[in-house]
Amino acid sequence: MPVTEFTSNQLYTALKQVKLGGTTCLFTPEKCQEITPIINQINHIKKEKNAIILAHSYISPEIIIGVSDFVGDSYELSKFAADSSCDMILFCAVKFMADTAKILSPNKTVIIPSKLNGCSLADSITGEDVQKLRKQYSEYTFVCYINTTAEVKAACDVCVTSSNVYSIIEKIPNDKIYFLPDRLMGENVIQFLEAKGIHKDIKLWDGTCYVHEEYDPDMITYLRQMHKGIHIVSHPECRSEVINSSDFVGSTSQMMQYVKKTEAPAYFMLTECGLTSRLQTEVPEKTFVGSCTMCKYMKSNSLEHILKALQNPDPEDIIEIDPTTIKKAKHCISEMFRYVG
Ligand code: 13P
Ligand code: SF4
């Protein structure tokens, strides 16, 4: 893996394209000059330790551009973590994503530099909750969204991500499904299947993502009036009224692909604003409008925490999961890979 030596000019050329976002996402030449030394230091230590840095698309742009080796959605990140041959994975995302890397590669050291471990979906349900539900709904296949803890995955049958939830639930032979924890995503799946004439008995847990549940269809109506021909691109964690008013719905990577392959006067991405920041650096010729909605958990990863976690991780930065939970959770995730094929 080559060491990447950035000059502050090179960083500024990439990062100046980020035009939406609060002050944390706006880059001046001075700011790029300030962060270049730490970026270069991280890239050197990464090579010495045979480590790779994976980042979700919601992570701050300076981390994505400066130090990450792979950026993707939850599905792509879990595949990459499983297939990579490094000794150490530094996972810039939220804890459940780093847990998934550990489940798939238990012999690797997996480190999370986020200082605010959480996700409003993953925190909404425990493994014990699932065990109780399984007694009550013993004939149901338990399908969990990847935004869940290792214990919840260990108690479920099949894991899904936003890129495959619709197709996997459709393929599962059992018509009785318990989907957890995202109620809004579950409602979207029910609506999608009903539209295809497929009627399954789908029970839902009442979790929501605090970022995505905020979007409302009035905002879309307003934007369509203000920007003729705008394309509205949404994540399946949004409410069904929002999904029904959108031009495209998909995982964060599918949303990016949609923007890259279509031509529209403007786009509004209904998801965490890191995705729009990433798009602005990759397709600067396209126009994006809208507000910045940040996930506080994703944005708690920083260059300073990455450097500290690489040099001298705190015990809570290192992912540890007991072998029994790993074995059961791995089965649940492997079932997803089997359905995706
Ligand atoms: P993706 O798998 O689409 O990247 O979604 C992850 C997530 O947490 C969305 O809020
Ligand atoms: Fe969790 Fe929502 Fe943040 Fe995604 S955006 S990690 S679902 S809190």
Side-chain angles (χ1 to χ4, degrees), residues 199-217:
H199 309 288
K200 293 200 179 209
D201 171 8
I202 302 180
K203 303 270 184 262
L204 302 174
W205 184 256
D206 193 13
T208 52
C209 162
Y210 86 103
V211 175
H212 291 86
E213 73 176 341
E214 285 306 309
Y215 299 121
D216 73 88

Side-chain angles (χ1 to χ4, degrees), residues 58 94 96 118-121 147 209-212 237 272 295 297-298:
Y58 293 164
V94 281
F96 74 83
C119 160
S120 58
L121 283 171
N147 295 37
C209 162
Y210 86 103
V211 175
H212 291 86
E237 289 172 14
E272 212 270 356
C295 169
Y297 306 107
M298 289 280 188

Side-chain angles (χ1 to χ4, degrees), residues 96 119-137 140-162 164-165 168-169 172 176-190 201-209 236-237 332 336:
F96 74 83
C119 160
S120 58
L121 283 171
D123 298 344
S124 74
I125 187 163
T126 65
E128 272 177 32
D129 291 328
V130 183
Q131 300 292 5
K132 281 188 204 142
L133 288 167
R134 290 207 77 129
K135 289 196 184 114
Q136 199 182 341
Y137 297 99
Y140 286 66
T141 297
F142 274 68
V143 180
C144 61
Y145 188 29
I146 198 161
N147 295 37
T148 43
T149 61
E151 290 70 28
V152 167
K153 289 186 181 73
C156 287
D157 301 303
V158 189
C159 177
V160 295
T161 73
S162 56
N164 53 42
V165 56
I168 292 184
I169 294 189
I172 289 173
K176 293 182 189 301
I177 305 278
Y178 198 108
F179 178 67
L180 58 90
D182 191 340
R183 174 175 52 81
L184 299 178
M185 182 178 278
E187 287 168 4
N188 293 329
V189 172
I190 293 170
D201 171 8
I202 302 180
K203 303 270 184 262
L204 302 174
W205 184 256
D206 193 13
T208 52
C209 162
E237 289 172 14
C332 177
M336 167 172 76

Side-chain angles (χ1 to χ4, degrees), residues 239-265:
R239 291 193 261 151
S240 57
E241 303 92 297
V242 167
I243 299 294
N244 294 342
S245 312
S246 300
D247 296 288
F248 179 80
V249 181
S251 77
T252 49
S253 290
Q254 291 166 342
M255 293 168 80
M256 284 192 72
Q257 283 153 20
Y258 175 82
V259 171
K260 288 181 178 180
K261 69 171 197 249
T262 54
E263 284 307 327

Side-chain angles (χ1 to χ4, degrees), residues 36 41 55 77 85 103 109 126 137-138 142 152 154 165 187 214 218 224 226 230 233 290 300 319 336:
T36 303
Q41 199 181 352
L77 287 164
S85 61
I103 292 163
T109 304
T126 65
Y137 297 99
S138 56
F142 274 68
V152 167
V165 56
E187 287 168 4
E214 285 306 309
D218 291 347
R224 286 205 194 277
M226 297 297 289
I230 192 169
V233 189
S300 73
I319 303 287
M336 167 172 76

